[in-house]
Each structure stands twice: as structure tokens, then as C-alpha cells.
Amino acid sequence: MPFRKKPELLAPAGSMESLKAAVQNGCDAVYLGGKLFSARQYAGNFSLEELEEACDYCHLRGVKVYVTVNTVYKDKELPEFIQFIGKLHHMGVDALIMQDAGAAKLVREHYPDFPLHASTQMTSNSLADVNYWYEQGFDKVVLSRELTLPEIRHITEQTGAEVETFVHGALCVCYSGQCIMSSMLGGRSGNRGRCAQTCRLPYTLYCGYDKVAEGHLLSPKDIATVSILPELIEAGIASLKIEGRMKNPEYVAGVTRIYRKYIDMYFEDPEHYEVSLDDMKELTQLFNRGGFTEGYYTSRGGLDMMSVERPKTWGLKVGIVDKYLPQHKKVVIRTREPLVPGDGIEVWTSRGPHVGCQVTKHSKAGEVITLTLEGDIEKNDVVYRTYGKALHDALQKTWEKETRKLQIYGVLKARKGEPLALQLWDNMGSSVY
């Protein structure tokens, strides 16, 4: 394998819990937003005090902090915006992720040493785009999600900028940064941090007066690239970004842990890189919309990329209905995965709303179990586990106990008649005397 620098693993943090989940599960950097000026206004986000706490927590563990100020701003907002940037600069934020070119110019004028990353909202989908933003002072450019691997490789080979791409999580149906659908239909602008996710609504497609199709026709599946990580690394991508500032901490913990595992695996033994079925099941259980797609990395799009039946998470397929006894409200399920008390399951019925319940007993894969459930259930209906109790509990423990520490070295000098002298340093370039 030719020498490749190990790419950064960048994880989302919509709350302090998610931040700790990301850090304790192996990320190299986190991205998060403040209460203002962020493109995810419906995430938990961080107050100034919480941002400072987040910086201290991450930096003590060798993790970088990138703050998203990635919306477009109005003139009247700029004075408060610059004040906010000044506070981020003072507390030691490692970089800003930005969309607004005018606001970025103001940041460079006031804080010329503040590193800037060009948000995916800037729609950088060509070498000319990337080089332009690099010349404008952006150290890193987050590419549009619509590029193929050969296109990305073409860019990384001919630019001085670092390139970042999304490797897991939600996809937009529109070109990154170019969607005005939420504004037009919902009166809420995605470019102002208030996307109404109108692409996730049901639609009907007509050809003339004839109905052609209906369902969630504009709702893409989530992207998952763990199976093609070697190709992404070899394409020269410097930062691998997980989407999900509005996801729960367990999601952040699980996805970060798996991508950390496989990045390290590739660099330790690239010849035997292989993704386990159990890890794919875990990713599926955490969140999926009818399975995953490799996105535009390996295809030009199409119906296979869409989750037409349902825009929300499906869960993991765990069984098939063997029979239903409506008079007793009993459903008999032939399982394919083990179940534990506290698991939530859902039967996908062909008519009417899907129905579900909570599991109360342990069972092994392959067992036939009987549950009390009322609904329009038929033989061969598919059963999904929408909540995995065991996985949830296991992931929660990963950030409740401190496991990630930074080695610190020191020298203490004590000599009679002279003041004590203590020097401390780490391998990240920090030192104090």
C-alpha cells in the first residue's frame, strides 16, 4: 500500500452527551453548533458556556472542535455574528465551518489566524470550486455529496486544500446547498438552519393525468460507506464525516465506534479488510431507511437510492409472521435474530398502520415466539426491531465511563535555595512550565 496519511474521523455532536459519546468511541474531531448561526437549529446545540466546556473536554483528550456557522446571514446580524466568532476564537475552537462567503471575509479580517472550512452548503463539486475556496483562505473544503470517487480523486490530486466528505448518514435529494424546497413549501429555509425536510413527505407522481407512482418519492436512503472505506482513503479524502447532529448519543457512539474500527483495520492490515455482518447489523439497527446506499460514490443515483415506503428509520429485520390469531390477539413470529426484554418490534402490515409492541421475554434466533398484538396482521408480514435494548445499553456505557486519556509527561526540578520548577507536556504540542 502506498503511504497514506490516516484520515480524520469527524463525528457529529448535537448535545454534550453526543459529544462525549463521539470522543469516547474514537473520533479525531467533532463538529457542533452554538445556539445561534448554525444550520441545525432544531438540534440541542450548545450555549457559550457549553461550547467552552466542550472545547476543554475535547482538547484534554486530543480531539479537535469545529463549530458550524454554516448558514447565510443578514446585514443586521453581522455585528452579533462577529462578537460570537471572537468568543469562539478566544476559547480555542479549532476551525469554523462556513457557507456565507461575505461572513467568511469578515472573519478573515478580524481573526486572520482562525482556520476556515468550506461547508458542503457551498456546493463545491469541481476542482475549480475547491481551488477557489482554498485561495480565499479555506484550509479544508467539504465536497458536495453528489460526487463520484473518480471525481473526488481528480480533485484531491490537484489541490492544496484538504478534502472532506460525508461517509455515513442522511442524504439530501437536492444538490448540497441548493435546495429551496423547504422555503417554498414550508416557509422555513434550510440555508437559514430551519429545514422542514419537505423531501421526506409523501408525494404522487403523474404523467399527464395518469398516476405513475406514490410514496416518499424524494426521500433518499442513508449513506453507509464502511464497505468501501479503502477506496475512499485511497481517493485521498482527508476527513471522513459522519452526519447526525440531530441523532441520539447512542447513534453517535455506535457509528463512530464502527468507523474507527475499520479505519484502523485498513491501516493495520489492508490486505484482509473485511466488514463483519454483525457490524452491518448494528449500523442498520441504529438507523436506516430501508437499508443503505453507497450514495454517489459508486452510482449516478436512481430509484435504488430512495426509501419510497417510509422516510424514518426501519430498524433491523428480525422475523416473519407465521400466523395471526385475531380472536386471541396473538401473533406467532418465526425469529431470525435474538430478542431481549425491552426490545421494541413492529409488524409491517400490508393494510392500515404498522403495529408494534415491546418484547417481554428472551428468545434465540430461530425460535418461534408468541406475542399479544392487535392489528391487520397476515402470515409472512415482516417484523422489524425498531429499538434494540441490549445495543442501547451497551453503547450508553461507552461514554458513562472515562476510557480515553491523553498521556502527559513531566519533569520536576527541586534544588536547595531555588524555586521548584515543574514542566508538563504532551505529544500534541501543548506544554506548560
Side-chain angles (χ1 to χ4, degrees):
M1 178 182 74
F3 173 77
R4 290 275 185 202
K5 183 180 177 182
K6 187 178 285 190
E8 169 186 80
L9 178 59
L10 177 57
S15 66
M16 189 60 73
E17 264 195 318
S18 291
L19 180 136
K20 291 179 179 180
V23 171
Q24 294 301 328
N25 282 280
C27 72
D28 300 303
V30 296
Y31 66 102
L32 48 85
K35 297 291 186 182
L36 301 173
F37 309 117
S38 171
R40 285 289 181 268
Q41 285 298 305
Y42 302 111
N45 293 324
F46 293 73
S47 66
L48 282 170
E49 293 76 16
E50 290 169 334
L51 283 169
E52 192 158 11
E53 181 186 348
C55 282
D56 290 344
Y57 181 88
C58 289
H59 290 161
L60 283 171
R61 292 157 181 81
V63 174
K64 293 182 178 180
V65 177
Y66 306 146
V67 173
T68 57
V69 281
N70 56 338
T71 60
V72 291
Y73 306 112
K74 299 178 181 180
D75 286 352
K76 64 182 181 181
E77 297 169 334
L78 293 176
E80 185 182 3
F81 170 80
I82 288 298
Q83 288 179 11
F84 178 64
I85 298 302
K87 292 172 182 176
L88 298 180
H89 185 266
H90 179 73
M91 68 179 65
V93 168
D94 294 281
L96 302 174
I97 303 174
M98 302 196 69
Q99 174 189 5
D100 191 315
K105 183 173 182 291
L106 288 176
V107 173
R108 288 195 300 274
E109 290 172 358
H110 286 79
Y111 306 99
D113 63 336
F114 212 152
L116 302 181
H117 297 174
S119 170
T120 190
Q121 297 295 104
M122 282 182 157
T123 323
S124 299
N125 52 26
S126 71
L127 177 62
D129 291 335
V130 173
N131 282 338
Y132 174 79
W133 294 122
Y134 185 54
E135 291 163 3
Q136 297 303 308
F138 288 86
D139 306 296
K140 185 180 291 181
V141 178
V142 190
L143 295 181
S144 293
R145 306 179 207 201
E146 296 77 31
L147 296 179
T148 64
L149 275 172
E151 290 168 335
I152 293 170
R153 188 178 296 108
H154 170 73
I155 291 171
T156 61
E157 289 174 349
Q158 300 182 69
T159 185
E162 288 192 323
V163 162
E164 179 180 305
T165 68
F166 284 90
V167 297
H168 195 95
L171 284 174
C172 289
V173 70
C174 293
Y175 269 85
S176 303
Q178 297 298 309
C179 181
I180 59 171
M181 192 175 181
S182 178
S183 301
M184 296 295 290
L185 297 183
R188 290 157 44 183
S189 173
N191 288 313
R192 293 280 290 169
R194 294 174 174 83
C195 177
Q197 298 206 15
T198 48
C199 58
R200 302 295 182 190
L201 298 175
Y203 293 94
T204 302
L205 177 64
Y206 288 89
C207 180
Y209 293 101
D210 298 324
K211 184 188 297 185
V212 176
E214 59 185 348
H216 300 275
L217 304 177
L218 303 180
S219 177
K221 296 177 182 177
D222 278 23
I223 189 174
T225 64
V226 66
S227 59
I228 59 168
L229 268 182
E231 290 95 318
L232 271 65
I233 294 168
E234 289 161 13
I237 299 168
S239 182
L240 306 175
K241 187 172 190 174
I242 299 167
E243 183 275 337
R245 279 195 286 150
M246 295 181 69
K247 300 287 203 316
N248 60 41
E250 291 77 23
Y251 172 90
V252 174
V255 176
T256 302
R257 181 175 69 175
I258 288 174
Y259 278 81
R260 175 79 278 154
K261 171 184 175 179
Y262 285 101
I263 292 170
D264 293 345
M265 178 190 292
Y266 174 73
F267 280 87
E268 290 165 6
D269 189 6
E271 298 300 320
H272 297 94
Y273 185 91
E274 185 177 358
V275 181
S276 78
L277 178 60
D278 285 343
D279 286 334
M280 287 307 302
K281 286 181 180 179
E282 182 172 323
L283 289 174
T284 303
Q285 182 68 73
L286 286 168
F287 196 95
N288 81 95
R289 293 179 170 97
F292 293 112
T293 173
E294 293 174 354
Y296 296 94
Y297 288 117
T298 57
S299 80
R300 288 289 182 181
L303 189 60
D304 289 343
M305 195 180 285
M306 311 306 288
S307 177
V308 175
E309 295 92 339
R310 180 174 180 166
K312 299 178 181 179
T313 187
W314 289 30
L316 180 68
K317 185 177 179 180
V318 295
I320 298 289
V321 172
D322 221 21
K323 67 173 72 170
Y324 183 60
L325 306 172
Q327 65 273 32
H328 302 295
K329 299 179 183 177
K330 297 290 185 180
V331 58
V332 180
I333 299 170
R334 189 174 300 277
T335 66
R336 56 187 289 181
E337 299 289 339
L339 298 171
V340 302
D343 280 353
I345 66 162
E346 187 176 50
V347 179
W348 277 46
T349 58
S350 58
R351 296 187 301 274
H354 303 327
V355 293
C357 66
Q358 193 175 82
V359 174
T360 58
K361 295 181 181 179
H362 287 272
S363 61
K364 298 178 181 179
E367 282 191 33
V368 177
I369 63 172
T370 302
L371 300 172
T372 301
L373 192 58
E374 186 175 5
D376 196 3
I377 303 171
E378 297 177 347
K379 182 179 174 65
N380 295 327
D381 282 345
V382 179
V383 182
Y384 290 91
R385 180 171 57 205
T386 54
Y387 176 78
K389 171 69 173 171
L391 177 59
H392 179 277
D393 291 350
L395 290 173
Q396 201 168 59
K397 291 176 183 177
T398 63
W399 75 85
E400 289 178 343
K401 183 179 179 181
E402 182 68 51
T403 58
R404 185 167 180 172
K405 298 179 181 179
L406 191 65
Q407 286 189 319
I408 296 175
Y409 308 90
V411 173
L412 176 68
K413 293 183 179 179
R415 190 170 294 171
K416 187 176 180 179
E418 296 181 8
L420 283 171
L422 175 64
Q423 184 177 11
L424 301 172
W425 69 92
D426 61 24
N427 286 330
M428 306 297 292
S430 300
S431 65
V432 64
Y433 180 78

